Amino acid sequence: MYKIFETVDDVSRYTAQRLLAKIQAMPRAILGLATGSTMEPVYAKMLQDLQHQPLDVSQLTTFNLDEYIGLSAQHPQSYNYYMHQHLFNQFKIPEHNVHLPDGLAADIEQACLAYSSAIQSRGGLDLQLLGIGSNGHIGFNEPQTCFNSRTHVVELSEQTRIDNGRFFSDQNEMPTHAITMGILDILEAKEIILVATGPNKTDIMAQLFHSAVDEALPASALKQHSNLTIVLDREAAAALPEHALNSVI
Ligand code: F6R
């Protein structure tokens, strides 16, 4: 199902409300969370809404999609740091319920196995929030990632290094590898919300719309999911065919 809104603000308000409604209905929910610039206004809206709509988040558990290899939790570009800055410092989930892959794990392969197992042992993700890369990646599952994958190490594509290099003052500091939940971990979530905004996502959203389920376009795996909402602003939806827009707005 597509939900298309005029502005980023509208997209973020809608997405934040969906997350808060989930928590209200399921205080013990297991949430899969994402980072990136798309999610910043979503988390900001959640925090804003929580000022008027207090919620008990003490029983909530979260698993983030991914983390750079080689960055500590204190590194300002690590996803651990991002999540605390944009959400967890104010959204007081007990720290032991917050999970991100460990980019400094001594045994990375073991850490990957343990991450997928930890999700499964809690009965899987109740809701997974996703952004999308301009090359169609979800999490850091780059094109050609096997759709049966679990949490694993990836070498970041050239496109992703260019896209995400903007967050690093020195491009050479941008890590070459990351840990990401696998496509199968994502597909096993009971509900998925994919959010894309802005002109940088126009082309990939049109490609995704037309694509078959194909490992060349990781986000196309989501077409197999029975509870998927794709939330777009006008700009990200700009190259969807007219008939699609008419039917979805
Ligand atoms: C981040 C993640 C990535 C981003 C994607 C879009 O945790 O999993 O897939 O969602 O790279 O990033 P932005 O929102 O910065 O365009």
Side-chain angles (χ1 to χ4, degrees):
M1 176 182 42
Y2 281 86
K3 287 268 179 197
I4 299 174
F5 295 92
E6 225 25 74
T7 65
V8 171
D9 208 51
D10 299 332
V11 164
S12 306
R13 184 176 306 111
Y14 170 81
T15 308
Q17 272 303 323
R18 282 279 302 267
L19 286 162
L20 293 175
K22 187 79 196 176
I23 298 166
Q24 190 142 39
M26 263 187 101
R28 303 175 70 93
I30 315 289
L31 298 183
L33 298 179
T35 60
S37 50
T38 311
M39 298 308 157
E40 289 180 23
V42 172
Y43 296 143
K45 283 274 179 237
M46 275 178 82
L47 294 177
Q48 220 175 47
D49 290 352
L50 280 170
Q51 289 175 3
H52 317 287
Q53 180 188 343
L55 266 188
D56 176 15
V57 296
S58 64
Q59 299 181 83
L60 209 58
T61 298
T62 64
F63 284 88
N64 262 79
L65 281 165
D66 40 19
E67 180 60 284
Y68 291 117
I69 290 184
L71 301 191
S72 72
Q74 289 73 39
H75 190 291
Q77 302 309 332
S78 74
Y79 286 166
N80 199 315
Y81 187 94
Y82 169 111
M83 287 307 298
H84 284 83
Q85 194 182 32
H86 292 288
L87 193 64
F88 298 142
N89 287 346
Q90 292 173 68
F91 191 72
K92 295 284 186 194
I93 303 177
E95 245 339 284
H96 62 266
N97 286 355
V98 166
H99 305 271
L100 284 103
D102 178 2
L104 292 183
D107 185 341
I108 295 263
E109 296 302 330
Q110 180 51 39
C112 289
L113 283 174
Y115 201 73
S116 286
S117 300
I119 296 170
Q120 287 171 304
S121 69
R122 286 166 175 81
L125 300 161
D126 293 302
L127 190 159
Q128 175 66 57
L129 182 62
L130 293 175
I132 182 169
S134 65
N135 63 355
H137 73 214
I138 48 174
F140 271 138
N141 293 286
E142 300 284 28
Q144 305 304 345
T145 303
C146 172
F147 282 177
N148 277 326
S149 51
R150 295 284 179 196
T151 303
H152 62 286
V153 173
V154 288
E155 179 170 7
L156 299 173
S157 70
E158 186 64 26
Q159 185 61 55
T160 299
R161 296 197 67 210
I162 293 168
D163 287 348
N164 289 16
R166 71 188 192 279
F167 296 112
F168 290 79
S169 50
D170 178 352
Q171 281 266 351
N172 295 323
E173 272 187 32
M174 166 84 199
T176 54
H177 290 76
I179 302 179
T180 183
M181 258 186 221
I183 303 261
L184 192 54
D185 295 314
I186 294 171
L187 287 179
E188 284 175 352
K190 296 172 187 75
E191 186 178 348
I192 298 178
I193 302 178
L194 180 140
V195 186
T197 53
N200 199 31
K201 302 295 165 66
T202 311
D203 288 349
I204 193 63
M205 291 319 299
Q207 282 177 47
L208 177 60
F209 184 86
H210 293 291
S211 172
V213 175
D214 181 351
E215 288 180 354
L217 204 174
S220 69
L222 303 174
K223 293 187 171 204
Q224 306 170 92
H225 199 277
S226 58
N227 191 352
L228 166 70
T229 310
I230 297 180
V231 190
L232 305 176
D233 70 345
R234 274 275 173 197
E235 287 187 314
L240 294 189
E242 197 61 37
H243 70 271
L245 289 180
N246 288 342
S247 65
V248 293
I249 291 177

